[in-house]
Amino acid sequence: MEQTRENKMGVMPVNKLLISMSLPMIISMLVQALYNVVDSIFVAKLSEDALTAVSLAFPMQNLMIAVASGIGVGMNALLSRALGQKNTDAANKAAVNGILLEGIGYIISLIMGLTIVRAFYIAQSASPEITDMGVEYLSISLIFSFGIFGQFTFERLLQSTGKTLYSMFTQLTGAIINIVLDPILIFGLVGAPKMGIAGAAVATVIGQIIAAIFAFILNKTKNKEIHVDMRNIIKPDIKIIKTILSVGIPSMIMQAIGSIMTFGMNKILIVFSSTAVAVIGVYFKLQSFVFMPIFGLNNGMVPIVSYNYGAEKKDRLLKTIRLSICYAVGIMLLGFTLIQLFPDKMLLLFDASDHMLSIGIPALRIISLSFIFAGASVILSSTFQSLGNGLLSMFISVARQLVVLLPVAYILSRFGNVNLVWWAFPIAEIAAICMSVAFYIYMYNKVIRPLGKTE
């Protein structure tokens, strides 16, 4: 029985396997996107300044998630590859050392929450009201972030053994709790205290903590392929830690670069108005409905590619990549079409003023042009990670967001027209897809082509 479970990623028909592993993650990611948007919809009812405060928090929140996710990616890739090689001892050690690294990541987040939040807001906004609300919101998110670190850890362990359905349950649990608690804690419903913007943060961390506990329980009761002995956490394996970080750090940097990019865009846009900053914040919330399913697809794809790379099954590996790209491009085109047709209705979800609509409608339509190119680029970047070369993914992310997007946005902003700034997004995505294709050709010739086994 254990052997059958172990070989699921090496024997099940690829399309069925990819769908069965990705669909639960796509559903849970969509719910995650929903609660991100619901968060901002309720906060927007407090005031546009409150919405701006939440938007300005995004770079720091994204940095925290980058650390948690990056460690999870490195642990997942190593663990899945070990299972593909039938090396259960290496898989168990990867799990233990991954848990240790996630704990260290939380300590870093805690320190940031206690020390630099106010300075972070002052660097972005001259408004004392926005700063005070933002400090209240972000401090809670960082200080109590042990929930999100635990959630990433134990969900990745489930995903690495193909149990994405259980991972979906934990993510849905956290998201639904957040959605229910948001209006209760923000507006003081059903006898709860009226906490305002702090209520949104409290609702988020409560959802994350409960999801982490649920994921831990599922690992203990359902994930028989991995046997985590927490006593071994005091005996870290430096070689395994280096292997996890060799994949995880590029992933962290990729997402952390997103924080730098967003911080830079906020600095560029605040020159025009705080409304422009609110618009980019709303865009990031809305685009999560398009990108979150792609990330769910990635979460299903990465262990399949890693497993079949370890098992040297070239045909299955290539078919997984091709199908993932097709699905990703389809999702992106659907998102592009919806944003082109209904930008005003999407902005009105956030109580957009006439001024916000005048900035936001052209912004959404221009930025969404980047979706046409982004689907294939995201999948190829994840492919490099699953093959053990996260550096290539990092190079693409650096080029897209720091070498192209921010400089182009700054140059275009000098013309004094905020509508020109939005063109930096599709320009950067064109550069990214060109690099992705070039790197894939390199990886195919160096890593994939030499694999000998076919179905």
Side-chain angles (χ1 to χ4, degrees), residues 110-332:
L110 172 64
I111 292 170
M112 291 194 301
L114 293 171
T115 58
I116 65 171
V117 172
R118 183 166 294 276
F120 170 74
Y121 267 91
I122 291 173
Q124 294 183 92
S125 174
S127 166
E129 293 79 11
I130 292 175
T131 296
D132 288 342
M133 285 189 288
V135 169
E136 193 176 8
Y137 175 82
L138 185 56
S139 295
I140 293 170
S141 299
L142 294 176
I143 290 170
F144 296 95
S145 62
F146 57 85
I148 191 66
F149 279 92
Q151 189 178 348
F152 265 103
T153 302
F154 297 113
E155 285 176 354
R156 291 291 186 180
L157 291 180
L158 292 168
Q159 293 164 22
S160 65
T161 56
K163 294 175 176 60
T164 54
L165 186 63
Y166 292 131
S167 182
M168 180 189 77
F169 292 154
T170 64
Q171 292 195 4
L172 287 176
T173 299
I176 291 169
I177 288 170
N178 187 308
I179 291 170
V180 171
L181 290 181
D182 255 336
I184 293 173
L185 297 179
I186 291 172
F187 303 112
L189 305 180
V190 297
K194 183 178 180 180
M195 300 177 68
I197 195 170
V202 172
T204 297
V205 298
I206 289 175
Q208 292 167 349
I209 292 168
I210 293 175
I213 294 170
F214 188 20
F216 174 78
I217 292 170
L218 286 174
N219 269 285
K220 294 294 287 184
T221 58
K222 303 294 184 182
N223 208 357
K224 304 301 183 184
E225 288 85 350
I226 301 172
H227 305 282
V228 177
D229 187 346
M230 295 301 291
R231 290 173 298 184
N232 291 331
I233 206 162
I234 61 174
K235 298 183 290 185
D237 188 314
I238 300 302
K239 183 178 179 181
I240 290 177
I241 287 175
K242 286 181 178 179
T243 304
I244 291 173
L245 293 179
S246 69
V247 175
I249 286 178
S251 181
M252 289 181 215
I253 292 173
M254 284 166 55
Q255 285 191 257
I257 285 167
S259 297
I260 298 170
M261 180 274 290
T262 308
F263 183 86
M265 287 299 297
N266 289 341
K267 295 282 285 183
I268 291 169
L269 293 170
I270 199 71
V271 173
F272 292 95
S273 68
S274 62
T275 303
V277 174
V279 165
I280 197 68
V282 166
Y283 161 73
F284 283 126
K285 299 292 185 180
L286 291 173
Q287 63 107 39
S288 67
F289 274 107
V290 184
F291 279 90
M292 283 295 198
I294 306 297
F295 297 150
L297 180 65
N298 277 347
N299 287 341
M301 179 202 78
V302 166
I304 300 173
V305 173
S306 293
Y307 185 100
N308 286 286
Y309 173 48
E312 297 189 7
K313 295 185 176 182
K314 180 165 65 175
D315 285 359
R316 292 179 62 81
L317 185 155
L318 290 172
K319 190 170 183 179
T320 302
I321 296 169
R322 288 195 297 268
L323 285 169
S324 298
I325 290 174
C326 290
Y327 289 136
V329 170
I331 293 168
M332 284 293 188

Side-chain angles (χ1 to χ4, degrees), residues 383-398:
T383 298
F384 305 147
Q385 292 173 353
S386 60
L387 295 175
N389 197 331
L391 283 175
L392 296 182
S393 304
M394 185 186 73
F395 291 152
I396 294 168
S397 190
V398 169

